[in-house]
Amino acid sequence: MKEAFKINNLDLSYGEKHVLKNINIDLYKNKVTAFIGPSGCGKSTLLRCLNRMNDLIDDCHITGTILYDNKDINQMNPMVLRTNVGMVFQNPNPFPMSIFENVAYGLRCQGIRNKKILHDIVVDSLKKAALYEEVKDRLKDSALSLSGGQQQRLCIARAIAMHPDVILMDEPTSALDPIATLKIEELIDSLKNEFTIIIVTHNMQQAARISDYTAFFMLGEIVEYSLTEDLFKNPQQKKTEDYITGRFG
């Protein structure tokens, strides 16, 4: 199985605070990998390492290596990396512009001006994000007029439009109601044939439903990482068992 990322001996600190400790993990292509664990255990911090979002944080110090497609991400242009490794955040963050222009925004930034190419990519991205049928007659309307769940799927369409290899998702359903959450989960399952998806979730049932692999984090360390079914049905570490059975967390 081919790795999208190989992470070796990764440590990260914010000033004096040691957030990630000796992280070693391979993340596989065209699989959904879930990061679970208590709040503040480092899972979102590791996610942001994968497209160098932590570069934007003052006083952040990282050692170790992260290879993306066997290339050291620190040797890559960060904008090229972030084109290949898209991100969807916890709260939907559509731009204050039309639905169409939200999806086309990154393409225009890359210099694409051909109206047919833009239209075709926008429509294709909205279809892949399971949103097109709901918005096809209102593409010129403000994205801010959409519901929260629709806004989050729009943000996924915006990421898809850049043709990334990987989509990072940081608790993408935590601000959504159960019906919108279900639509996002169904969408994730349909997208993994085309994209590698790495998701941080505080919801263990969600991880069990949608992921192929799960990593359990605690206090900045990976306690256990395995096939999701194995981790939930037959955890190898007592800390993992205690967490998934609700004894702490």
Side-chain angles (χ1 to χ4, degrees), residues 90-92 147-153 171-182 184:
Q90 182 171 358
N91 292 304
S147 70
Q150 289 173 324
Q151 287 185 12
Q152 193 64 301
R153 280 182 283 149
E171 299 199 19
T173 63
S174 66
L176 305 180
D177 63 60
I179 293 171
T181 294
L182 179 62
I184 298 286

Side-chain angles (χ1 to χ4, degrees), residues 131 134-135 138 145-155 180:
L131 186 59
E134 295 169 42
V135 302
R138 47 196 281 223
S145 68
L146 298 174
S147 70
Q150 289 173 324
Q151 287 185 12
Q152 193 64 301
R153 280 182 283 149
L154 180 67
C155 293

Side-chain angles (χ1 to χ4, degrees), residues 178-245:
I179 293 171
T181 294
L182 179 62
K183 286 188 176 181
I184 298 286
E185 290 183 5
E186 290 172 344
L187 174 57
I188 289 169
D189 190 57
S190 71
L191 291 175
K192 72 178 182 183
N193 294 321
E194 193 169 342
F195 306 97
T196 301
I197 297 175
I198 302 159
I199 179 170
V200 168
T201 177
H202 66 287
N203 184 327
M204 281 185 287
Q205 291 76 24
Q206 181 173 76
R209 284 192 297 265
I210 65 170
S211 68
D212 302 293
Y213 288 84
T214 297
F216 168 52
F217 289 71
M218 191 172 163
L219 299 173
E221 299 178 320
I222 294 178
V223 175
E224 189 164 346
Y225 174 54
S226 68
L227 287 164
T228 296
E229 186 175 10
D230 293 344
L231 186 134
F232 280 99
K233 289 186 176 177
N234 187 29
Q236 300 300 299
Q237 303 293 325
K238 186 172 188 311
K239 288 177 182 176
T240 312
E241 183 178 359
D242 287 349
Y243 183 71
I244 63 178
T245 56

